[in-house]
Amino acid sequence: MSVQKPFLPPATPLKPRLRGLIIGASSGMGAALARRLAREGYTLALIARRADLLDSLCKEINQAYEETRVLNYAHDVSNYDEVPDLLRRIVSDLGGLDTVIFAAGVNYPPILAKDNFDTDRQMLEVNLIGAFAWLNPIADMFQSAGRGQIVGISSVAGDRGRVGNAGYNTSKAGLTTYLEALRNRLTRHGVNVLTIKPGFVQTEMLKAAVGPTPFAIPVEKAANDIYKAMRARKQQIYTPWFWKWIMLIIRNIPSVIFRKMNF
Amino acid sequence: MPDEALIIYRANIMNTSIQLLNNFASLENFGHSLRASAYVIKPKCAEEISEAFQLAKKNGLSITARGAGRSYNDASLNGGGIVLDMSGMNKIINWDSATGQVRAEPGVTIQQLWQSVEPEGWWPPVVSGTMFTTLGGCLSANVHGKNNFKVGTIGEHVLEFTAILPTGAEVTCSPQKNADLFYSMISGLGMLGVFTSVTMQMKRVYSGLLEVDARPAHNFHEHLTDLLDNAPNYDYIVGWLDTTAGGKSLGRGQIHAARYLNEGEDKDAKNTMLLKNQTLPSRIFGVFPKSILHYFMSPFVNNLGTWGVNTGKYIASLPHHTFRESHAAFHFLLDYIPNWELSFGRGGLIEYQSFVPKETAEAAWSEMLRLSHKRGMPPYLGVTKRHRPDQFLLTHAVDGFSLAIDFKVTNGNREKLSAMLQDFDKIVLNAGGRFYFVKNSETAPESAKRFLGEDTIAKFKKLKKRCDPNGMLESDLYRRVFGEF
């Protein structure tokens, strides 16, 4: 294999560039974060399943800054075998890696009252196993480097198992726990692991949602909150912030009552 | 999972050797102003360098060698690729104190070198301002010392070197044998091959001391005239420049000129050449440890503090005096205060060194310094030297002078500083000047093209194709400056 790298504007002491990887970047929060981080001068590798969407996002960003700030890679997160080679290629193309955002997520609300095994399995495969496939090797690399930041987009939905969508709840609960485990392992090695728990955000996923979606915020607002938390190297945030208090209450509703509730 | 199973599992995950995955490291430049992560491999011998080339090829990764990582910019960084940490190849293979010839591995530092040869009456003919650099790094950058005007760069004292090319070929080069490679790999920034051994001629000395004349220079003209006129009478000459002084005092400073002692001049030569008399003191006044001094310096590393320090130093330098000083103390000024670069704070520091012909230097640098004062960003440290041209391919030398100046990088000044350095580049290029690739971090490809010339670039590209047909040897510096050629 010969070395053929895309040309990126160089990083110098006077024009430093952090290198980031966003997994699940074609729409929603991933795309909003891509726009936001590009604005902050990051050089980014964007991964998504939908190549056409990703391609137009990349064109939009690169044209806006008149230089290559983002590179795109079409990849389905559940093709786990592709990860090692793709990761190595991305790190090589970017010229290093400082920050990784795992934003890949799917939500298939059950149409019938009964949960559907196939969609549940897909949610687990993308939302949780996809995170394992990508973040395990990245955690090893960052631990070895003694530096780096891992951001995982989990959800308030992972805080309780609810009547509505067991598969999604479980995948996000798993992701939250996985990120916590990574945090406990990596903080001592100088790596920051940030868990994001958004409430309702105006994305494609929300449009497909069943039932009420109170306090929905624009996706740019969520991306802004996430960027601020990244800069402050926080451990966990809710976006918007008041979900912290809502979830504090919900998490503490006794099961005797919770199992009689309908949401 | 048992350990063995775990290792196999991890190896499978990365689909490559375990080494790569667990050798990901965050590397910095010397000034702590730049950072890039790479897979670090530490070869112990030439075969392991070959293996690293194979590994790079298999995984589609670029590769670059890193010595001590003391360059001020991205010369030894290779973000996302493989970095060969050469510090493991640090043996002096052969030292012949009768002839003064030494053969050493490329990871041997200048410190190891002088400490090996000095007690027996020899000294490396060219040393950098810090002793922590490696021979491989010194050759790749073709470093110079304060005696550049007299003895040229380090490359001129290399009798022979061996290297491995990315093609797998092992080559031996000297001014007679493979001369084209000899004159291009030295100064070639490690982009043609990796050194595996270096044979050098040391210089005979008759004392562990140098005789140093220190005298002030009241303005730029006096400063450069002193360097020009007096250099032939000495073995070493270097100027300290008060970067904060303006008006009629612009360019003022202090000249240190030194000469070797002749046989018999030092009655106590045996003793002064002992290593214990060559070390830099580790404490100030015998009590204050220097290792923490940089913490106490940082409050002064700002415009006002630097003005105070420079002015104070200038006043102290006014009286002429002559004294004897050990080689180590004279040469390794940069090592006097350990980790001094940390005093520049979190943004780190950058150095800007330009080499300008003797006819145009005064006007060019006067304009540069005035510009820096006008924009409120005076450099914090300035050093001048006298130079002569050499025949290495990517040479930075001119028949003239060099001026190295240091700037502190902060979150607030990056853009302004970048714009100013671009203006500096124009001034230097218009004056017929050149830049030093391992110091200047912002040199644009167009600037490099202008001072190197089309011919040199064509020659270099041709050699690069011959030595490294797959383009595997790439550093961040190479991609930044040569990537577009």
Side-chain angles (χ1 to χ4, degrees):
Chain A
M1 219 191 306
S2 78
V3 184
Q4 198 53 262
K5 285 182 150 198
F7 182 79
L8 288 172
T12 70
L14 299 185
K15 287 193 181 117
R17 289 168 195 276
L18 286 171
R19 291 102 171 172
L21 163 62
I22 303 179
I23 301 146
S26 59
S27 68
M29 262 178 284
L33 276 165
R35 291 192 181 92
R36 180 62 212 252
L37 294 183
R39 198 171 101 202
E40 301 296 335
Y42 275 70
T43 302
L44 296 169
L46 307 183
I47 291 180
R49 183 172 32 111
R50 292 168 296 181
D52 47 338
L53 271 178
L54 191 61
D55 207 39
S56 59
L57 174 69
C58 279
K59 280 204 183 102
E60 173 207 313
I61 294 174
N62 288 335
Q63 276 167 10
Y65 298 103
E66 294 177 348
E67 63 176 21
T68 310
R69 286 199 184 180
V70 293
L71 302 168
N72 58 341
Y73 303 84
H75 160 77
D76 185 333
V77 171
S78 52
N79 285 338
Y80 313 125
D81 292 346
E82 288 177 16
V83 174
D85 280 340
L86 185 55
L87 174 60
R88 202 168 53 245
R89 198 178 120 208
I90 285 171
V91 174
S92 167
D93 288 353
L94 286 177
L97 190 60
D98 303 298
T99 294
V100 175
I101 298 174
F102 188 84
V106 288
N107 185 2
Y108 304 109
I111 297 159
L112 303 165
K114 269 189 229 159
D115 284 341
N116 180 312
F117 176 74
D118 281 340
T119 53
D120 280 352
R121 178 176 167 167
Q122 278 179 49
M123 285 191 278
L124 263 294
E125 280 177 351
V126 174
N127 303 4
L128 184 59
I129 314 290
F132 276 92
W134 277 97
L135 300 185
N136 275 359
I138 287 167
D140 283 356
M141 289 166 88
F142 282 176
Q143 176 173 341
S144 166
R147 182 177 287 282
Q149 183 170 48
I150 294 173
V151 184
I153 313 287
S154 189
S155 170
V156 293
D159 280 11
R160 266 329 269 260
R162 294 184 294 113
V163 175
N165 193 346
Y168 189 70
N169 288 167
T170 307
S171 73
K172 290 302 188 182
L175 182 60
T176 302
T177 306
Y178 173 54
L179 290 168
E180 186 192 1
L182 282 184
R183 178 179 307 120
N184 292 338
R185 171 187 151 197
L186 295 174
T187 302
R188 70 194 70 180
H189 297 287
V191 181
N192 171 235
V193 180
L194 167 62
T195 307
I196 308 291
K197 292 185 178 174
F200 294 111
V201 181
Q202 290 156 3
T203 60
E204 281 175 41
M205 199 188 274
L206 193 76
K207 285 180 203 151
V210 181
T213 56
F215 318 122
I217 55 164
V219 69
E220 292 77 19
K221 164 87 175 74
N224 197 41
D225 285 353
I226 295 169
Y227 176 65
K228 278 200 276 190
M230 283 168 67
R231 279 197 61 161
R233 290 177 82 80
K234 293 211 168 162
Q235 313 288 316
Q236 169 171 298
I237 62 151
Y238 286 87
T239 169
W241 60 271
F242 49 78
W243 280 96
K244 182 178 177 181
W245 304 107
I246 297 174
M247 294 317 292
L248 181 71
I249 296 164
I250 292 180
R251 273 203 318 274
N252 287 293
I253 297 174
S255 177
V256 197
I257 301 168
F258 204 69
R259 62 187 182 237
K260 287 175 188 143
M261 292 172 75
N262 249 347
F263 83 110
Chain B
M1 221 186 286
D3 279 359
E4 208 172 317
L6 187 70
I7 289 167
I8 295 165
Y9 163 77
R10 286 194 169 175
N12 286 341
I13 282 240
M14 279 306 275
N15 195 15
T16 181
S17 89
I18 312 156
Q19 222 176 4
L20 275 192
L21 180 61
N22 287 341
N23 284 19
F24 199 63
S26 175
L27 300 175
E28 281 187 326
N29 63 342
F30 168 63
H32 305 292
S33 51
L34 200 57
R35 188 175 290 133
S37 323
Y39 311 99
V40 177
I41 294 175
K42 196 168 176 177
K44 287 271 175 220
C45 57
E47 290 73 53
E48 289 183 17
I49 300 175
S50 293
E51 280 167 25
F53 276 128
Q54 295 299 323
L55 189 70
K57 198 170 175 186
K58 191 177 134 222
N59 291 295
L61 295 173
S62 60
I63 189 163
T64 207
R66 177 178 172 98
R70 301 293 289 199
S71 85
Y72 285 80
N73 61 10
D74 41 7
S76 65
L77 299 179
N78 180 23
I82 293 175
V83 168
L84 292 176
D85 173 0
M86 300 301 290
S87 63
M89 289 179 68
N90 61 347
K91 281 188 289 295
I92 293 182
I93 304 163
N94 186 39
W95 160 234
D96 184 346
S97 62
T99 59
Q101 285 188 12
V102 63
R103 184 154 181 263
E105 289 185 325
V108 165
T109 61
I110 296 285
Q111 179 179 27
Q112 274 175 279
L113 186 63
W114 77 256
Q115 291 187 347
S116 305
V117 305
E118 211 269 344
E120 297 182 74
W122 300 86
W123 184 258
V126 171
V127 296
S128 43
T130 164
M131 61 171 111
F132 304 125
T133 50
T134 62
L135 285 181
C138 286
L139 259 60
S140 298
N142 200 17
V143 300
H144 59 260
K146 301 167 180 70
N147 52 356
N148 186 250
F149 63 93
K150 195 152 196 169
V151 303
T153 56
I154 196 165
E156 296 183 40
H157 305 274
V158 174
L159 302 170
E160 187 184 279
F161 66 74
T162 56
I164 291 188
L165 308 183
T167 53
E170 295 188 39
V171 290
T172 304
C173 305
S174 71
Q176 293 79 36
K177 194 175 172 189
N178 291 322
D180 56 343
L181 274 183
F182 181 84
Y183 286 104
S184 53
M185 280 193 65
I186 296 178
S187 82
L189 303 164
M191 294 298 104
L192 299 173
V194 177
F195 296 116
T196 48
S197 79
V198 183
T199 310
M200 276 184 76
Q201 177 63 51
M202 298 294 109
K203 156 122 186 107
R204 178 55 100 186
V205 290
Y206 299 98
S207 164
L209 302 174
L210 293 167
E211 187 161 279
V212 187
D213 282 338
R215 50 181 179 264
H218 300 95
N219 53 51
F220 232 136
H221 187 71
E222 223 180 283
H223 194 131
L224 297 181
T225 311
D226 190 325
L227 291 180
L228 185 69
D229 294 347
N230 293 322
N233 309 324
Y234 292 94
D235 293 304
Y236 297 96
I237 199 162
V238 60
W240 162 77
L241 190 138
D242 178 353
T243 49
T244 55
K248 280 184 184 157
S249 299
L250 190 79
R252 74 182 183 188
Q254 187 181 26
I255 308 293
H256 278 99
R259 63 174 187 87
Y260 296 112
L261 295 176
N262 294 320
E263 207 170 350
E265 270 188 278
D266 180 4
K267 299 281 180 275
D268 198 19
K270 267 218 172 85
N271 190 27
T272 57
M273 285 194 289
L274 290 178
L275 283 189
K276 67 177 169 79
N277 294 320
Q278 288 287 334
T279 43
L280 309 175
S282 62
R283 283 165 192 273
I284 289 178
F285 310 125
V287 284
F288 192 80
K290 287 204 305 190
S291 56
I292 54 166
L293 195 61
H294 65 87
Y295 290 111
F296 298 90
M297 284 161 63
S298 49
F300 296 97
V301 185
N302 52 49
N303 281 3
L304 184 67
T306 314
W307 176 82
V309 170
N310 274 278
T311 307
K313 180 167 164 55
Y314 177 70
I315 293 166
S317 77
L318 282 174
H320 293 234
H321 55 296
T322 302
F323 55 96
R324 287 184 181 183
E325 188 175 31
S326 76
H327 290 273
F330 178 78
H331 287 292
F332 306 121
L333 221 55
L334 289 179
D335 305 331
Y336 243 84
I337 298 159
N339 300 326
W340 60 272
E341 75 281 2
L342 293 176
S343 67
F344 279 71
R346 294 187 70 170
L349 76 110
I350 55 166
E351 183 159 292
Y352 184 91
Q353 188 171 30
S354 49
F355 294 72
V356 180
K358 55 184 189 291
E359 296 79 14
T360 49
E362 190 187 327
W365 288 336
S366 298
E367 191 184 343
M368 254 169 59
L369 285 182
R370 277 196 206 103
L371 195 68
S372 76
H373 294 163
K374 204 171 106 189
R375 299 201 188 165
M377 290 180 288
Y380 288 170
L381 180 72
V383 173
T384 54
K385 283 186 225 113
R386 173 84 175 102
H387 294 270
R388 78 170 191 203
D390 57 63
Q391 46 183 329
F392 294 92
L393 190 63
L394 300 183
T395 180
H396 53 268
V398 294
D399 181 10
F401 311 102
S402 71
L403 170 64
I405 44 184
D406 288 2
F407 292 95
K408 178 175 172 170
V409 179
T410 65
N411 282 334
N413 78 355
R414 282 200 177 92
E415 244 165 77
K416 285 193 307 181
L417 197 51
S418 170
M420 189 167 81
L421 295 193
Q422 282 172 28
D423 292 335
F424 282 7
D425 277 6
K426 280 184 210 129
I427 296 171
V428 171
L429 289 169
N430 287 337
R434 306 172 81 93
F435 303 107
Y436 195 12
F437 285 120
V438 293
K439 286 199 171 160
N440 297 30
S441 58
E442 313 292 317
T443 308
E446 307 81 59
S447 305
K449 207 174 217 168
R450 199 167 139 194
F451 80 79
L452 286 174
E454 301 278 350
D455 280 359
T456 302
I457 289 167
K459 247 189 221 166
F460 184 74
K461 271 171 72 178
K462 212 170 142 193
L463 279 162
K464 174 86 177 154
K465 199 143 209 181
R466 196 178 100 200
C467 299
D468 182 16
N470 293 321
M472 285 204 294
L473 279 172
E474 276 194 358
S475 60
D476 282 352
L477 186 155
Y478 181 82
R479 281 188 286 273
R480 172 169 62 83
V481 180
F482 296 81
E484 287 179 37
F485 291 168

